Amino acid sequence: MKVLHTSDWHLGQQFYEHDRRHEHHAFFSWLLTTLVSQQIDLLLVAGDIYHTATPSASAENQLYQFIKNAKAQCPQLHVVIIAGNHDSANRILAAQPLLAQFDTHVVGRFDPANPNDVVITINNNDKHAVVIAMPFLRTSDISTLSQSENGPSYAQGVAKAYQLALEHALTLTNESTPLIVMGHLHAKGGNISGDSERNLVIGGEEAISASVFGKHANYVALGHLHKAQLVAKNEHIRYSGTPIPMSFSERKYTHQVNVVEFNVQKDQPLSTTVNPLYIPRLAEVIVLPEGECVPLAQLCEQIKALDTQQYEIAPYLRVKLKSSDIDTTFREQIEQALKGKQVNFCGIERVRDQQVSNSSETVFEDLSFVEMLNPINLLEQAFNNDKDMAGETVPSELKALLTNVIDELEQEQLL
């Protein structure tokens, strides 16, 4: 059996207010060609199908049209899709009856009382596989599994959820049937994109040990981290990463999908081989200057020197400028330098001098970073800044309450 692992499509993303449908369309065209040429039997999409819990009609149409085209060109193809932290489980599940007509299996939520619901048996002619399609686990999904002697433990809840699913899956496998485990989470040791991936869990327990996937999985297909990478130095536990850069911090990523092939030889254990296939990038992502900030006049010269004629479509461009170089005419000067340049301009990142901020770290004045703030860190800062609480640690009970409140608010938004 041949499997293709991809994830984190983020359909419907507005990149600094620029529409990206043409980039996703190009990716889907490439993916369709790859599914045919590689003779793929099973396509795995490991979460974050959409960029928001309320995707636009055009984003949903892109997904449905792709699945329709994929099934038309690859009649034998099965597809397994799990919900990610950006997705609404209810919204994805609403399309389940429709997508089932195209041999597409959708899993939006885990129910501890029915762990077998996330275990899918794939029968494709004489090829078989068992898939644990574990979606993103919200704290409310696993609250009954998370109770420990020291209070709620998200990591424990995740481990028990996978354990329940594995126990059922192992009753359906044999030596010649590959067991595939899917997940959308942050596995320990994984490299995070600086400004794209939301904190999955409030309170510091978002990183999950790879041991939760068990010892029997032939391949673990993960989503959430945008950089393609191995987990725990294991060739068979991988993130496929995003098909296109989701932020400027990802501009140097090599985007890929993973083609996984399972083979059975007589009197030999089942073998697994993984081959990355690299995705061509339609639109370049550029930051000027590339390194440290330069004076405004020098920045404008770099913008003027930028050769945009070499690109088939307009690249995305963002510029960095020190706060000390900002005067009443800086925007006018940058706009003048941009004249005649075919670019999708993504604004100015104002960087404070370390001497001005009295900080050991560079400070970015960019509202796009507000989403990345961790409420627990803010709570700890509030304790440190309060003269009556300075030096005290935040009580675990208060952290747990804040986690529950955030989770409830998030759930209301997803309904």
Side-chain angles (χ1 to χ4, degrees), residues 288-361:
L288 288 179
E290 183 63 33
E292 296 294 325
C293 289
V294 298
L296 176 59
Q298 192 174 337
L299 172 62
C300 289
E301 289 302 316
Q302 288 190 20
I303 295 172
K304 291 176 183 177
L306 183 65
D307 178 16
T308 58
Q309 299 300 316
Q310 62 178 304
Y311 304 111
E312 291 186 17
I313 69 168
Y316 298 102
L317 173 65
R318 188 157 173 79
V319 300
K320 297 186 300 184
L321 187 63
K322 285 185 179 180
S323 295
S324 56
D325 282 336
I326 292 174
D327 56 24
T328 57
T329 66
F330 80 97
R331 289 186 182 277
E332 182 181 342
Q333 292 184 58
I334 290 174
E335 288 173 4
Q336 189 67 31
L338 284 166
K339 277 192 175 179
K341 299 294 181 184
Q342 296 300 313
V343 297
N344 291 315
F345 188 58
C346 298
I348 303 165
E349 189 174 280
R350 291 181 288 177
V351 184
R352 284 196 206 140
D353 291 320
Q354 292 184 11
Q355 294 84 352
V356 174
S357 64
N358 292 321
S359 172
S360 61
E361 297 180 357

Side-chain angles (χ1 to χ4, degrees), residues 116-317:
N116 53 306
D117 289 348
V118 303
V119 180
I120 299 168
T121 302
I122 304 296
N123 295 308
N124 194 340
N125 296 324
D126 61 338
K127 301 172 183 177
H128 311 282
V130 174
V131 180
I132 295 177
M134 187 69 75
F136 168 59
L137 295 168
R138 303 185 187 280
T139 54
S140 57
D141 297 331
I142 54 175
S143 58
T144 58
L145 306 176
S146 302
Q147 299 306 315
S148 69
E149 294 181 358
N150 298 320
S153 168
Y154 177 77
Q156 174 182 291
V158 170
K160 286 189 175 181
Y162 275 95
Q163 180 184 344
L164 290 172
L166 281 163
E167 287 173 356
H168 178 70
L170 290 173
T171 66
L172 304 175
T173 61
N174 55 47
E175 293 181 356
S176 61
T177 304
L179 173 61
I180 302 168
V181 176
M182 298 179 70
H184 191 92
L185 46 75
H186 176 192
K188 283 184 178 177
N191 292 322
I192 301 177
S193 164
D195 53 1
S196 294
E197 295 145 348
R198 296 177 185 169
N199 287 316
L200 289 182
V201 180
I202 300 162
E205 280 194 302
E206 60 264 24
I208 304 298
S209 170
S211 63
V212 303
F213 309 125
K215 300 178 180 179
H216 300 283
N218 299 100
Y219 184 75
V220 179
L222 298 177
H224 177 59
L225 299 190
H226 290 182
K227 183 178 183 180
Q229 56 193 291
L230 307 182
V231 174
K233 299 181 181 179
N234 190 322
E235 289 284 335
H236 299 156
I237 307 177
R238 294 185 181 235
Y239 286 96
S240 61
T242 56
I244 60 177
M246 292 290 118
S247 70
F248 283 94
S249 67
E250 299 174 20
R251 65 189 181 277
K252 294 184 179 180
Y253 284 5
T254 302
H255 300 277
Q256 66 185 56
V257 298
N258 294 326
V259 174
V260 187
E261 189 164 6
F262 303 105
N263 288 301
V264 179
Q265 302 288 340
K266 187 176 181 180
D267 299 325
Q268 296 291 326
L270 186 146
S271 65
T272 305
T273 57
V274 184
N275 293 305
L277 295 181
Y278 299 103
I279 304 167
R281 184 178 292 185
L282 183 66
E284 269 305 323
V285 180
I286 303 168
V287 173
L288 288 179
E290 183 63 33
E292 296 294 325
C293 289
V294 298
L296 176 59
Q298 192 174 337
L299 172 62
C300 289
E301 289 302 316
Q302 288 190 20
I303 295 172
K304 291 176 183 177
L306 183 65
D307 178 16
T308 58
Q309 299 300 316
Q310 62 178 304
Y311 304 111
E312 291 186 17
I313 69 168
Y316 298 102
L317 173 65

Side-chain angles (χ1 to χ4, degrees), residues 402-415:
L402 180 57
T403 299
N404 291 336
V405 169
I406 297 296
D407 190 57
E408 288 177 10
L409 290 173
E410 190 176 45
Q411 286 297 315
E412 288 180 9
Q413 184 182 12
L414 295 180
L415 293 176

